[in-house]
Amino acid sequence: RFWRRPREQEYLKLFDATASQFGSATDVLLGCLDAGLHLVTLSRSSDDEWDEYETSYAQAVLDYVARPVDDPDDVSMYERITKWNEGYKKWGRTTLGFGITVFQKV
């Protein structure tokens, strides 16, 4: 994960994160290179991939709490995923990014 732009305090609170928790994609890459690692491959998710992941995650939780089995955590899970999904739509998709980097120790 990496920050794509400056963070809104409301989003950090929702995400239970700090502004310094992640760096930018460049910060992460340079930190690894400065540590003496060799970049093998780098792949950042597209907006469509990120949307698909977040939408699928939210839907899986909603499907779970909608099943006929009664779970005492259903209400809190529903409330949390609803807030999370709203936060993603409002801030997350433009604020947080995801990528996979593979490094080799040299």
Side-chain angles (χ1 to χ4, degrees):
R1 295 181 192 164
F2 58 88
W3 296 125
R4 294 172 66 176
R5 67 177 182 89
R7 285 69 59 200
E8 299 289 335
Q9 287 301 314
E10 292 175 86
Y11 181 60
L12 291 174
K13 183 178 177 185
L14 173 73
F15 188 55
D16 195 24
T18 63
S20 63
Q21 188 167 355
F22 307 114
S24 68
T26 300
D27 293 338
V28 173
L29 177 62
L30 292 177
C32 291
L33 294 173
D34 288 346
L37 299 174
H38 171 74
L39 178 64
V40 175
T41 189
L42 169 76
S43 176
R44 291 183 3 177
S45 64
S46 68
D47 289 344
D48 288 343
E49 291 166 331
W50 196 232
D51 286 342
E52 183 179 347
Y53 171 82
E54 286 290 342
T55 302
S56 296
Y57 171 69
Q59 190 60 54
V61 175
L62 292 172
D63 290 348
Y64 178 81
V65 299
R67 75 207 180 296
V69 178
D70 190 27
D71 183 330
D73 294 326
D74 281 350
V75 172
S76 63
M77 291 173 66
Y78 175 82
E79 290 170 353
R80 179 166 168 75
I81 198 59
T82 300
K83 288 178 186 175
W84 181 274
N85 198 27
E86 289 170 3
Y88 173 73
K89 290 173 187 172
K90 186 172 183 178
W91 305 292
R93 69 183 314 270
T94 59
T95 303
L96 190 62
F98 183 79
I100 296 174
T101 52
V102 177
F103 292 92
Q104 182 178 31
K105 191 172 182 177
V106 286

